[in-house]
Amino acid sequence: MIRRFFSLEFTFSKRLLGIILVVGGVLGCFALLGFDLIRHSDQGIGPAQRTAMIALGIAAVIGLTLIPLGKAEV
Amino acid sequence: MQRALTLFHKILIGVALIVMLFHLTVYVAYAANLIPFPFDYDQGEGFELYDTQLLSQFQSPYRDLEPYPYYASNYPPVFHLIAVPFAWLFGPQYWYGRLLGVIGTLITAYAIGYAVWKDGQHRKGRGRPIIAILAGLAFLASNITYRQGPLLRQQMSMVMFETLGVVILTQAEHLAFVSARKTRLFLLGFGMLILAGYTKQLAAYSAIGVLIWLFLRNPRRAIAWGAIFAAVGVGIFALLYIITGGQWWKQAIAANANTIFWPQVEGLFRLWYGLHGFLIVPAALLCLYELYFERLSLYVIWFAVTLTLGGVSSGTWGGGDSYFATSVAGLTLLSGIFFSRWLAGDFKFPPNYLSRGLRLFKPFAPLVTASALLVVPLLYIGYGRAVLKMPTTGAVFGQLADWWDIQPNALNGFYDSAGRIAGGYSDIGHFVTEQDYVNAERIADYIRTSDKPVLSEEAGFSFRAGRDVISNPTQLLNIWLRGQYDGTTLINQIDRQEFGYIILRAQFYPTPVLLAISRAYDTVDVIPMNGFEYIIKAPKIGQWSDRKYYLQ
């Protein structure tokens, strides 16, 4: 599989990109929330974190809509 | 019916062209007004000129800020290096740097037009020259391009290199087979990106966009090209680091890592949309189309990445609307391609769950395509109104302003549809007046008549008086905010009143320096220029007794 990934023929499919966006978006949101818990900040989620979480959420939603497109090339 | 529609289309396209040519006329008039002005118009221009002077004398502008003359540059050197031959020929002059900025915007506009035309050629064997011309002119018409273009700043040269790089790489990708020509084009495209990066650091966002696109197309190729690209980029970086004894890193990289002011980001995004909405929507539709029905082009990824990262960075200290300039190039390019394809009926919907939903509208497809004949020119006309900016005085512009009932809302009787509401949208774009020349010379006279060095917040007055350029206040502030500026030497020199005068405008010096100035110097004159007030300060009388008081 790794060999195929690094072959000259490999290209991302819409499905694979969709999965990456969903996984990245969800994990990213959890990471930001986790970071907030570890930091023990009294101020809660700041504007930068909120913006990043919105962006990751949008990425995850876009990812979900890409998954059904299957093998179509990105 | 079709003939009437075509005729109406031609009339509307003609109107759209007139609107865009009007914007070009305003741009040329602004450039012609500003280029000969021998002083700073946008604060910092003089320091870019000083960088050019230093490089023309084979000296580094990346220096230690602590000793006299307290100067260092925070920008990479490519723009200044391009201007070096002019410096050898003409000495320290503003005009050639500003001319380079204008030429940069014209080349970018040409590249955008070429990309739009080439897309039609590539897909249908026939490009649409008129849409290509409108797309290029739309870039020049943007308030952001207009304001930044004729400045002695490196921003628009960076956008030129970025756009050329992206257009060249796209053309290379269109070549069917791996060939020597394709490799040469890739090298050229990446070369442009390196030039962009060493023109201004912000071009890193374009490089990120290109590498993401290449990775999605083929990870192996992305890694190979990315490695070459990184090796060259890092090699130049290391060379600069060694040559400058580490000052390159401190002044040009570390000093520019600033925090983001989010309300400014939000305000500038609103402004960006308000000005360019007529073209943003078509550009966004093309992004969605490619995302769901075609392969993602480099243009789409470049636009998305530079808009997101550039937009967020616009909220940093030193940022502003100019950080959207690359995304303006992207949106005018993408909207041009969208219009070109729409007019050609060149949208295919391969079978997927979305196209099945769109099948309902298939009977309307000819109508939708025909509507482009009216909607496309109307969108350009609407865009032309949204980005309207012009002087409201003078024989021609004054008359037009009267006819259109346009009231000035910016400096020197200028009208700008962007207003002056959003933070980070600086007060530039207006024309300089004869009185500005006279007042600028009055300020320079203070330096000429002083037998001591003069600390000026802008370099232009020092150049004009033929005296030393002393200090770069914004860079002193950058380094001070990083906790890496001591400032004792400069503050002592101020306390000892060793400067004949101190000339301030925005008072960007670090707080301890400003405090020292207020301790040792008094305001003796306030001279307006370009709508700003320049404060002239002279040494306080009886300063030494005052100082003793402070030292207790």
Side-chain angles (χ1 to χ4, degrees), chain B residues 146-183:
Chain B
Y146 164 86
R147 286 149 49 84
Q148 298 292 326
L151 299 182
L152 199 168
R153 308 303 297 261
Q154 69 304 91
Q155 181 78 31
M156 298 318 290
S157 300
M158 176 199 75
V159 176
M160 173 189 74
F161 286 128
E162 288 174 303
T163 310
L164 286 173
V166 166
V167 171
I168 289 167
L169 287 169
T170 300
Q171 303 318 311
E173 187 66 4
H174 283 168
L175 295 176
F177 303 103
V178 177
S179 62
R181 182 158 177 252
K182 189 165 186 164
T183 306

mmCIF file of all heavy atoms in Angstrom, chain B residues 146-183:
data_model
loop_
_atom_site.group_PDB
_atom_site.id
_atom_site.type_symbol
_atom_site.label_atom_id
_atom_site.label_comp_id
_atom_site.label_asym_id
_atom_site.label_seq_id
_atom_site.Cartn_x
_atom_site.Cartn_y
_atom_site.Cartn_z
ATOM 1 N N TYR B 146 -4.975 48.864 -6.243
ATOM 2 C CA TYR B 146 -4.836 50.290 -6.542
ATOM 3 C C TYR B 146 -3.964 50.974 -5.486
ATOM 4 O O TYR B 146 -3.016 51.692 -5.806
ATOM 5 C CB TYR B 146 -6.233 50.921 -6.595
ATOM 6 C CG TYR B 146 -6.237 52.426 -6.508
ATOM 7 C CD1 TYR B 146 -6.071 53.203 -7.651
ATOM 8 C CD2 TYR B 146 -6.382 53.071 -5.276
ATOM 9 C CE1 TYR B 146 -6.058 54.587 -7.566
ATOM 10 C CE2 TYR B 146 -6.362 54.454 -5.184
ATOM 11 C CZ TYR B 146 -6.209 55.205 -6.322
ATOM 12 O OH TYR B 146 -6.186 56.571 -6.231
ATOM 13 N N ARG B 147 -4.281 50.725 -4.218
ATOM 14 C CA ARG B 147 -3.604 51.425 -3.146
ATOM 15 C C ARG B 147 -2.143 50.997 -3.017
ATOM 16 O O ARG B 147 -1.265 51.816 -2.766
ATOM 17 C CB ARG B 147 -4.316 51.146 -1.817
ATOM 18 C CG ARG B 147 -5.640 51.863 -1.665
ATOM 19 C CD ARG B 147 -6.611 51.070 -0.808
ATOM 20 N NE ARG B 147 -6.047 50.601 0.433
ATOM 21 C CZ ARG B 147 -5.965 51.334 1.540
ATOM 22 N NH1 ARG B 147 -6.415 52.551 1.537
ATOM 23 N NH2 ARG B 147 -5.458 50.826 2.627
ATOM 24 N N GLN B 148 -1.887 49.711 -3.202
ATOM 25 C CA GLN B 148 -0.545 49.188 -2.968
ATOM 26 C C GLN B 148 0.362 49.327 -4.189
ATOM 27 O O GLN B 148 1.584 49.414 -4.046
ATOM 28 C CB GLN B 148 -0.628 47.699 -2.586
ATOM 29 C CG GLN B 148 -1.390 47.430 -1.303
ATOM 30 C CD GLN B 148 -0.670 47.959 -0.080
ATOM 31 O OE1 GLN B 148 0.555 47.947 -0.027
ATOM 32 N NE2 GLN B 148 -1.417 48.428 0.887
ATOM 33 N N GLY B 149 -0.227 49.301 -5.376
ATOM 34 C CA GLY B 149 0.555 49.221 -6.613
ATOM 35 C C GLY B 149 1.669 50.248 -6.731
ATOM 36 O O GLY B 149 2.840 49.887 -6.882
ATOM 37 N N PRO B 150 1.337 51.532 -6.658
ATOM 38 C CA PRO B 150 2.393 52.531 -6.902
ATOM 39 C C PRO B 150 3.217 52.888 -5.664
ATOM 40 O O PRO B 150 3.811 53.952 -5.637
ATOM 41 C CB PRO B 150 1.604 53.761 -7.382
ATOM 42 C CG PRO B 150 0.196 53.345 -7.505
ATOM 43 C CD PRO B 150 0.017 52.179 -6.616
ATOM 44 N N LEU B 151 3.236 52.034 -4.669
ATOM 45 C CA LEU B 151 4.057 52.313 -3.487
ATOM 46 C C LEU B 151 5.447 51.722 -3.665
ATOM 47 O O LEU B 151 5.616 50.715 -4.358
ATOM 48 C CB LEU B 151 3.420 51.704 -2.229
ATOM 49 C CG LEU B 151 2.029 52.191 -1.821
ATOM 50 C CD1 LEU B 151 1.602 51.506 -0.529
ATOM 51 C CD2 LEU B 151 1.995 53.687 -1.663
ATOM 52 N N LEU B 152 6.390 52.344 -2.992
ATOM 53 C CA LEU B 152 7.740 51.770 -2.975
ATOM 54 C C LEU B 152 7.752 50.678 -1.890
ATOM 55 O O LEU B 152 8.385 50.817 -0.860
ATOM 56 C CB LEU B 152 8.751 52.871 -2.662
ATOM 57 C CG LEU B 152 10.220 52.657 -3.004
ATOM 58 C CD1 LEU B 152 10.963 53.977 -2.874
ATOM 59 C CD2 LEU B 152 10.922 51.600 -2.216
ATOM 60 N N ARG B 153 6.989 49.652 -2.119
ATOM 61 C CA ARG B 153 6.890 48.527 -1.189
ATOM 62 C C ARG B 153 6.993 47.243 -2.003
ATOM 63 O O ARG B 153 6.695 47.212 -3.194
ATOM 64 C CB ARG B 153 5.558 48.530 -0.423
ATOM 65 C CG ARG B 153 5.189 49.821 0.278
ATOM 66 C CD ARG B 153 6.241 50.269 1.272
ATOM 67 N NE ARG B 153 6.462 49.366 2.368
ATOM 68 C CZ ARG B 153 5.932 49.509 3.588
ATOM 69 N NH1 ARG B 153 5.130 50.503 3.844
ATOM 70 N NH2 ARG B 153 6.211 48.674 4.549
ATOM 71 N N GLN B 154 7.328 46.184 -1.330
ATOM 72 C CA GLN B 154 7.580 44.932 -2.060
ATOM 73 C C GLN B 154 6.334 44.067 -2.245
ATOM 74 O O GLN B 154 6.386 43.059 -2.957
ATOM 75 C CB GLN B 154 8.714 44.138 -1.414
ATOM 76 C CG GLN B 154 8.471 43.517 -0.054
ATOM 77 C CD GLN B 154 8.038 44.469 1.006
ATOM 78 O OE1 GLN B 154 6.860 44.670 1.200
ATOM 79 N NE2 GLN B 154 8.997 45.081 1.682
ATOM 80 N N GLN B 155 5.195 44.481 -1.647
ATOM 81 C CA GLN B 155 3.995 43.638 -1.657
ATOM 82 C C GLN B 155 3.572 43.193 -3.074
ATOM 83 O O GLN B 155 3.369 42.017 -3.336
ATOM 84 C CB GLN B 155 2.839 44.400 -1.003
ATOM 85 C CG GLN B 155 1.543 43.620 -0.919
ATOM 86 C CD GLN B 155 1.546 42.603 0.203
ATOM 87 O OE1 GLN B 155 2.181 42.809 1.224
ATOM 88 N NE2 GLN B 155 0.865 41.492 0.019
ATOM 89 N N MET B 156 3.443 44.163 -3.997
ATOM 90 C CA MET B 156 2.888 43.814 -5.301
ATOM 91 C C MET B 156 3.911 43.082 -6.175
ATOM 92 O O MET B 156 3.531 42.349 -7.079
ATOM 93 C CB MET B 156 2.348 45.055 -6.016
ATOM 94 C CG MET B 156 1.211 45.754 -5.284
ATOM 95 S SD MET B 156 -0.051 44.677 -4.544
ATOM 96 C CE MET B 156 -0.877 44.042 -5.982
ATOM 97 N N SER B 157 5.201 43.273 -5.891
ATOM 98 C CA SER B 157 6.213 42.473 -6.609
ATOM 99 C C SER B 157 6.108 41.019 -6.156
ATOM 100 O O SER B 157 6.257 40.093 -6.963
ATOM 101 C CB SER B 157 7.619 43.003 -6.332
ATOM 102 O OG SER B 157 7.702 44.324 -6.764
ATOM 103 N N MET B 158 5.842 40.838 -4.857
ATOM 104 C CA MET B 158 5.637 39.478 -4.353
ATOM 105 C C MET B 158 4.430 38.831 -5.046
ATOM 106 O O MET B 158 4.516 37.682 -5.507
ATOM 107 C CB MET B 158 5.404 39.504 -2.844
ATOM 108 C CG MET B 158 5.077 38.150 -2.247
ATOM 109 S SD MET B 158 4.274 38.240 -0.629
ATOM 110 C CE MET B 158 2.616 38.740 -1.047
ATOM 111 N N VAL B 159 3.321 39.578 -5.130
ATOM 112 C CA VAL B 159 2.116 39.035 -5.767
ATOM 113 C C VAL B 159 2.416 38.677 -7.231
ATOM 114 O O VAL B 159 1.950 37.659 -7.740
ATOM 115 C CB VAL B 159 0.943 40.044 -5.672
ATOM 116 C CG1 VAL B 159 -0.283 39.533 -6.414
ATOM 117 C CG2 VAL B 159 0.593 40.318 -4.213
ATOM 118 N N MET B 160 3.219 39.517 -7.885
ATOM 119 C CA MET B 160 3.594 39.228 -9.280
ATOM 120 C C MET B 160 4.327 37.890 -9.381
ATOM 121 O O MET B 160 3.966 37.029 -10.191
ATOM 122 C CB MET B 160 4.493 40.346 -9.807
ATOM 123 C CG MET B 160 5.077 40.073 -11.181
ATOM 124 S SD MET B 160 6.320 41.287 -11.653
ATOM 125 C CE MET B 160 7.714 40.803 -10.621
ATOM 126 N N PHE B 161 5.331 37.693 -8.537
ATOM 127 C CA PHE B 161 6.095 36.442 -8.597
ATOM 128 C C PHE B 161 5.204 35.236 -8.240
ATOM 129 O O PHE B 161 5.306 34.174 -8.867
ATOM 130 C CB PHE B 161 7.302 36.498 -7.648
ATOM 131 C CG PHE B 161 8.429 37.374 -8.152
ATOM 132 C CD1 PHE B 161 8.963 38.367 -7.360
ATOM 133 C CD2 PHE B 161 8.968 37.189 -9.420
ATOM 134 C CE1 PHE B 161 10.002 39.180 -7.805
ATOM 135 C CE2 PHE B 161 10.011 37.987 -9.882
ATOM 136 C CZ PHE B 161 10.524 38.988 -9.070
ATOM 137 N N GLU B 162 4.347 35.424 -7.240
ATOM 138 C CA GLU B 162 3.443 34.326 -6.851
ATOM 139 C C GLU B 162 2.528 33.941 -8.018
ATOM 140 O O GLU B 162 2.376 32.761 -8.352
ATOM 141 C CB GLU B 162 2.557 34.760 -5.679
ATOM 142 C CG GLU B 162 3.247 34.900 -4.344
ATOM 143 C CD GLU B 162 2.306 35.481 -3.296
ATOM 144 O OE1 GLU B 162 1.769 36.572 -3.509
ATOM 145 O OE2 GLU B 162 2.090 34.824 -2.265
ATOM 146 N N THR B 163 1.913 34.965 -8.623
ATOM 147 C CA THR B 163 0.965 34.695 -9.711
ATOM 148 C C THR B 163 1.675 34.051 -10.896
ATOM 149 O O THR B 163 1.171 33.074 -11.481
ATOM 150 C CB THR B 163 0.268 36.014 -10.143
ATOM 151 O OG1 THR B 163 -0.225 36.670 -8.974
ATOM 152 C CG2 THR B 163 -0.882 35.739 -11.096
ATOM 153 N N LEU B 164 2.845 34.598 -11.232
ATOM 154 C CA LEU B 164 3.598 34.006 -12.350
ATOM 155 C C LEU B 164 3.939 32.545 -12.036
ATOM 156 O O LEU B 164 3.786 31.666 -12.898
ATOM 157 C CB LEU B 164 4.879 34.803 -12.607
ATOM 158 C CG LEU B 164 4.707 36.168 -13.283
ATOM 159 C CD1 LEU B 164 6.042 36.917 -13.323
ATOM 160 C CD2 LEU B 164 4.158 36.026 -14.703
ATOM 161 N N GLY B 165 4.363 32.291 -10.807
ATOM 162 C CA GLY B 165 4.719 30.922 -10.419
ATOM 163 C C GLY B 165 3.543 29.973 -10.565
ATOM 164 O O GLY B 165 3.664 28.887 -11.153
ATOM 165 N N VAL B 166 2.390 30.401 -10.078
ATOM 166 C CA VAL B 166 1.208 29.533 -10.107
ATOM 167 C C VAL B 166 0.715 29.318 -11.549
ATOM 168 O O VAL B 166 0.349 28.197 -11.925
ATOM 169 C CB VAL B 166 0.104 30.167 -9.203
ATOM 170 C CG1 VAL B 166 -1.237 29.536 -9.440
ATOM 171 C CG2 VAL B 166 0.493 30.032 -7.744
ATOM 172 N N VAL B 167 0.742 30.381 -12.339
ATOM 173 C CA VAL B 167 0.291 30.247 -13.737
ATOM 174 C C VAL B 167 1.245 29.333 -14.514
ATOM 175 O O VAL B 167 0.807 28.456 -15.265
ATOM 176 C CB VAL B 167 0.171 31.648 -14.407
ATOM 177 C CG1 VAL B 167 -0.087 31.514 -15.905
ATOM 178 C CG2 VAL B 167 -0.937 32.459 -13.744
ATOM 179 N N ILE B 168 2.529 29.500 -14.295
ATOM 180 C CA ILE B 168 3.519 28.665 -15.002
ATOM 181 C C ILE B 168 3.364 27.195 -14.599
ATOM 182 O O ILE B 168 3.379 26.295 -15.447
ATOM 183 C CB ILE B 168 4.956 29.177 -14.724
ATOM 184 C CG1 ILE B 168 5.178 30.507 -15.442
ATOM 185 C CG2 ILE B 168 6.002 28.154 -15.182
ATOM 186 C CD1 ILE B 168 6.431 31.258 -15.005
ATOM 187 N N LEU B 169 3.201 26.940 -13.302
ATOM 188 C CA LEU B 169 3.052 25.557 -12.836
ATOM 189 C C LEU B 169 1.782 24.917 -13.406
ATOM 190 O O LEU B 169 1.785 23.722 -13.757
ATOM 191 C CB LEU B 169 3.031 25.504 -11.304
ATOM 192 C CG LEU B 169 4.386 25.759 -10.621
ATOM 193 C CD1 LEU B 169 4.223 25.944 -9.119
ATOM 194 C CD2 LEU B 169 5.357 24.610 -10.900
ATOM 195 N N THR B 170 0.732 25.708 -13.520
ATOM 196 C CA THR B 170 -0.510 25.172 -14.105
ATOM 197 C C THR B 170 -0.300 24.824 -15.573
ATOM 198 O O THR B 170 -0.770 23.779 -16.051
ATOM 199 C CB THR B 170 -1.653 26.196 -13.945
ATOM 200 O OG1 THR B 170 -1.839 26.450 -12.560
ATOM 201 C CG2 THR B 170 -2.951 25.681 -14.548
ATOM 202 N N GLN B 171 0.402 25.692 -16.289
ATOM 203 C CA GLN B 171 0.671 25.398 -17.704
ATOM 204 C C GLN B 171 1.536 24.144 -17.828
ATOM 205 O O GLN B 171 1.333 23.327 -18.737
ATOM 206 C CB GLN B 171 1.370 26.579 -18.406
ATOM 207 C CG GLN B 171 0.613 27.894 -18.345
ATOM 208 C CD GLN B 171 -0.881 27.757 -18.573
ATOM 209 O OE1 GLN B 171 -1.321 27.114 -19.526
ATOM 210 N NE2 GLN B 171 -1.681 28.325 -17.682
ATOM 211 N N ALA B 172 2.486 24.002 -16.911
ATOM 212 C CA ALA B 172 3.346 22.806 -16.935
ATOM 213 C C ALA B 172 2.502 21.554 -16.718
ATOM 214 O O ALA B 172 2.690 20.526 -17.383
ATOM 215 C CB ALA B 172 4.426 22.919 -15.865
ATOM 216 N N GLU B 173 1.555 21.638 -15.792
ATOM 217 C CA GLU B 173 0.717 20.479 -15.474
ATOM 218 C C GLU B 173 -0.163 20.101 -16.659
ATOM 219 O O GLU B 173 -0.516 18.931 -16.842
ATOM 220 C CB GLU B 173 -0.142 20.789 -14.239
ATOM 221 C CG GLU B 173 -0.938 19.620 -13.696
ATOM 222 C CD GLU B 173 -0.061 18.506 -13.125
ATOM 223 O OE1 GLU B 173 1.161 18.659 -13.083
ATOM 224 O OE2 GLU B 173 -0.626 17.457 -12.743
ATOM 225 N N HIS B 174 -0.524 21.096 -17.461
ATOM 226 C CA HIS B 174 -1.374 20.820 -18.622
ATOM 227 C C HIS B 174 -0.646 20.033 -19.710
ATOM 228 O O HIS B 174 -1.285 19.445 -20.581
ATOM 229 C CB HIS B 174 -1.910 22.133 -19.218
ATOM 230 C CG HIS B 174 -3.040 22.709 -18.404
ATOM 231 N ND1 HIS B 174 -3.514 23.972 -18.588
ATOM 232 C CD2 HIS B 174 -3.771 22.187 -17.391
ATOM 233 C CE1 HIS B 174 -4.500 24.210 -17.728
ATOM 234 N NE2 HIS B 174 -4.667 23.136 -16.997
ATOM 235 N N LEU B 175 0.695 20.069 -19.672
ATOM 236 C CA LEU B 175 1.436 19.300 -20.676
ATOM 237 C C LEU B 175 1.190 17.810 -20.429
ATOM 238 O O LEU B 175 1.272 17.337 -19.294
ATOM 239 C CB LEU B 175 2.934 19.608 -20.594
ATOM 240 C CG LEU B 175 3.323 21.057 -20.948
ATOM 241 C CD1 LEU B 175 4.810 21.267 -20.730
ATOM 242 C CD2 LEU B 175 2.954 21.395 -22.385
ATOM 243 N N ALA B 176 0.890 17.109 -21.510
ATOM 244 C CA ALA B 176 0.410 15.739 -21.358
ATOM 245 C C ALA B 176 1.474 14.791 -20.826
ATOM 246 O O ALA B 176 1.200 13.932 -19.994
ATOM 247 C CB ALA B 176 -0.116 15.244 -22.693
ATOM 248 N N PHE B 177 2.697 14.938 -21.284
ATOM 249 C CA PHE B 177 3.716 13.943 -20.944
ATOM 250 C C PHE B 177 4.859 14.587 -20.172
ATOM 251 O O PHE B 177 5.122 15.777 -20.295
ATOM 252 C CB PHE B 177 4.269 13.294 -22.219
ATOM 253 C CG PHE B 177 3.201 12.658 -23.052
ATOM 254 C CD1 PHE B 177 2.743 13.284 -24.206
ATOM 255 C CD2 PHE B 177 2.617 11.454 -22.664
ATOM 256 C CE1 PHE B 177 1.739 12.694 -24.972
ATOM 257 C CE2 PHE B 177 1.614 10.878 -23.420
ATOM 258 C CZ PHE B 177 1.174 11.505 -24.576
ATOM 259 N N VAL B 178 5.523 13.747 -19.397
ATOM 260 C CA VAL B 178 6.724 14.215 -18.711
ATOM 261 C C VAL B 178 7.780 14.473 -19.776
ATOM 262 O O VAL B 178 8.090 13.597 -20.584
ATOM 263 C CB VAL B 178 7.232 13.160 -17.701
ATOM 264 C CG1 VAL B 178 8.530 13.626 -17.053
ATOM 265 C CG2 VAL B 178 6.173 12.899 -16.645
ATOM 266 N N SER B 179 8.275 15.681 -19.830
ATOM 267 C CA SER B 179 9.243 16.038 -20.861
ATOM 268 C C SER B 179 10.202 17.066 -20.296
ATOM 269 O O SER B 179 10.003 17.590 -19.198
ATOM 270 C CB SER B 179 8.518 16.633 -22.071
ATOM 271 O OG SER B 179 7.850 17.828 -21.675
ATOM 272 N N ALA B 180 11.225 17.351 -21.091
ATOM 273 C CA ALA B 180 12.203 18.358 -20.641
ATOM 274 C C ALA B 180 11.514 19.709 -20.478
ATOM 275 O O ALA B 180 11.823 20.480 -19.567
ATOM 276 C CB ALA B 180 13.332 18.451 -21.665
ATOM 277 N N ARG B 181 10.543 19.979 -21.359
ATOM 278 C CA ARG B 181 9.838 21.263 -21.293
ATOM 279 C C ARG B 181 9.031 21.363 -20.000
ATOM 280 O O ARG B 181 9.011 22.408 -19.348
ATOM 281 C CB ARG B 181 8.929 21.403 -22.520
ATOM 282 C CG ARG B 181 8.206 22.720 -22.535
ATOM 283 C CD ARG B 181 7.724 23.153 -23.891
ATOM 284 N NE ARG B 181 6.991 24.403 -23.738
ATOM 285 C CZ ARG B 181 5.675 24.515 -23.855
ATOM 286 N NH1 ARG B 181 4.956 23.480 -24.188
ATOM 287 N NH2 ARG B 181 5.092 25.679 -23.689
ATOM 288 N N LYS B 182 8.382 20.254 -19.671
ATOM 289 C CA LYS B 182 7.590 20.241 -18.435
ATOM 290 C C LYS B 182 8.496 20.480 -17.229
ATOM 291 O O LYS B 182 8.169 21.263 -16.338
ATOM 292 C CB LYS B 182 6.876 18.891 -18.319
ATOM 293 C CG LYS B 182 5.851 18.839 -17.192
ATOM 294 C CD LYS B 182 4.939 17.642 -17.361
ATOM 295 C CE LYS B 182 3.837 17.662 -16.330
ATOM 296 N NZ LYS B 182 2.731 16.777 -16.658
ATOM 297 N N THR B 183 9.640 19.815 -17.214
ATOM 298 C CA THR B 183 10.577 19.985 -16.101
ATOM 299 C C THR B 183 11.066 21.425 -16.035
ATOM 300 O O THR B 183 11.158 22.016 -14.956
ATOM 301 C CB THR B 183 11.780 19.026 -16.272
ATOM 302 O OG1 THR B 183 11.268 17.704 -16.435
ATOM 303 C CG2 THR B 183 12.703 19.056 -15.067
#
